[in-house]
């Protein structure tokens, strides 16, 4: 996964310099995807797995692996910023906080210093979230609209949902009904034709209801509480965080 992220970074950087064409007519940099958001999320997962390996297993790694890891990061970090995905930025920020709290240096800190680090991190996190919202507020408001409408869609059939693959065909009717009931809504200017909920959990709840959502959460529970390397779990955590604001799956 880390190496494939490196390949995506190379493709993105070649696209940036005009040496490769993207698969999208709208965006210049997409990697091998059709949307820069997908590229950003993929790089976020790869980058977090790389950083986790380097930071938590540094002493266990051979010198050649350390050098290779640093070289890979020098290509992947610029490509990550070129993708310009707020979802990916947020996923890396939250995963980075988890990584910080799991690091040996943090665990060994005194209680007073540990409390200061936690407060500082959360303050910086809140400021970053506010800046990410202000960076493209129309896009963020569009997601708020979709989640609002999806809530009504979910409550129509909360137990088993509307069926697999039903969201694209059901959403627009539900959105029309929402604006009929709320004609002066502030979200009118960001309405559009949507086929994704931009949140995998909400999307699943609308299509499969509470039953499908509980089954999915049960699978996640066993994944996180099974025996496995932290690097894999943190990579999967990055995917899950990004799936709360995009359609990563």
């Amino acid at each position: 996964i880390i190496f494939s992220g490196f390949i995506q970074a190379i493709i993105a950087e070649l696209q940036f310099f005009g040496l490769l064409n993207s698969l999208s007519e709208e965006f210049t940099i997409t990697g091998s995807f059709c949307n820069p958001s997908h590229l950003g999320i993929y790089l976020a997962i790869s980058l977090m797995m790389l950083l986790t390996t380097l930071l938590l297993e540094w002493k266990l790694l051979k010198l050649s692996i350390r050098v290779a890891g640093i070289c890979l990061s020098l290509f992947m970090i610029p490509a990550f910023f070129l993708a310009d995905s707020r979802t990916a930025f947020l996923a890396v920020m939250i995963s980075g906080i988890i990584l910080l709290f799991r690091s040996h240096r943090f665990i060994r800190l005194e209680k007073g210093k540990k409390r200061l680090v936690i407060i500082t991190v959360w303050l910086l996190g809140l400021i970053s979230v506010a800046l990410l919202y202000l960076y493209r507020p129309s896009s963020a408001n569009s997601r708020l609209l979709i989640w609002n409408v999806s809530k009504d869609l979910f409550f129509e059939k909360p137990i088993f949902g509307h069926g697999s693959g039903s969201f694209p065909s059901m959403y627009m009717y539900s959105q029309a009904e929402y604006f009929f009931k709320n004609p002066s809504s502030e979200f009118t200017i960001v309405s559009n034709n949507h086929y994704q909920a931009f949140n995998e959990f909400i999307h699943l709840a609308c299509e499969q209801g509470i039953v499908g959502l509980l089954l999915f959460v049960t699978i996640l529970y066993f994944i996180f509480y099974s025996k496995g390397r932290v690097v894999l779990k943190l990579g999967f955590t990055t995917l899950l965080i990004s799936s709360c604001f995009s359609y990563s799956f």
Side-chain angles (χ1 to χ4, degrees):
I1 294 171
I2 293 170
F3 185 73
S4 62
F6 165 69
I7 298 298
Q8 290 295 334
I10 295 295
I11 294 171
E13 283 152 3
L14 289 174
Q15 289 171 344
F16 175 73
F17 288 110
L19 300 175
L20 274 182
N21 294 324
S22 75
L23 298 177
S24 168
E25 295 180 359
E26 186 178 354
F27 303 104
T28 306
I29 301 170
T30 60
S32 64
F33 302 97
C34 296
N35 191 301
S37 177
H38 298 154
L39 170 66
I41 292 168
Y42 197 90
L43 286 172
I45 296 166
S46 304
L47 193 56
M48 281 311 305
M49 291 182 69
L50 173 60
L51 294 177
T52 303
T53 303
L54 291 176
L55 292 174
L56 296 187
E57 301 180 10
W58 181 262
K59 293 182 179 179
L60 303 175
L61 300 175
K62 295 180 181 178
L63 178 61
S64 57
I65 301 296
R66 294 179 187 178
V67 173
I70 293 170
C71 291
L72 289 178
S73 65
L74 292 176
F75 282 94
M76 290 166 67
I77 291 173
F80 174 72
F81 283 100
L82 286 175
D84 193 25
S85 169
R86 289 175 311 156
T87 297
F89 290 148
L90 188 62
V92 164
M93 184 180 71
I94 297 174
S95 297
I97 291 172
I98 295 170
L99 177 59
L100 171 66
F101 290 162
R102 287 190 69 97
S103 65
H104 298 297
R105 289 185 179 181
F106 177 78
I107 293 170
R108 292 171 184 170
L109 284 176
E110 299 172 1
K111 285 186 177 179
K113 291 182 179 179
K114 193 177 290 186
R115 192 179 296 113
L116 180 62
V117 170
I118 292 171
I119 293 170
T120 304
V121 166
W122 284 114
L123 283 174
L124 290 173
L126 289 172
I127 293 169
S128 299
V129 169
L131 291 174
L132 286 173
Y133 173 81
L134 293 171
Y135 181 52
R136 279 201 296 264
S138 60
S139 176
N141 288 335
S142 177
R143 278 164 171 71
L144 291 175
L145 167 65
I146 296 168
W147 297 340
N148 240 319
V149 173
S150 298
K151 175 195 67 179
D152 298 333
L153 193 59
F154 165 73
F155 281 115
E156 287 178 12
K157 291 187 177 181
I159 307 301
F160 295 106
H162 294 271
S164 181
S166 61
F167 189 91
S169 60
M170 297 293 297
Y171 175 81
M172 291 308 294
Y173 292 107
S174 193
Q175 180 176 271
E177 189 175 344
Y178 174 84
F179 284 122
F180 180 75
K181 293 177 180 177
N182 306 275
S184 58
S185 171
E186 61 182 324
F187 294 128
T188 307
I189 58 173
V190 294
S191 61
N192 207 332
N193 185 11
H194 298 290
Y195 61 94
Q196 294 283 350
F198 289 95
N199 182 300
E200 299 289 2
F201 296 93
I202 294 174
H203 195 107
L204 182 65
C206 290
E207 292 192 346
Q208 307 292 343
I210 293 172
V211 173
L213 191 60
L214 284 176
L215 285 171
F216 181 61
V217 170
T218 302
I219 293 170
L220 295 182
Y221 173 83
F222 283 109
I223 288 174
F224 280 105
Y225 282 90
S226 65
K227 292 181 179 179
R229 293 177 65 190
V230 175
V231 60
L232 294 174
K233 291 183 178 180
L234 203 57
F236 192 65
T237 300
T238 308
L239 171 65
L240 282 180
I241 294 166
S242 65
S243 71
C244 290
F245 306 95
S246 187
Y247 43 106
S248 315
F249 285 12

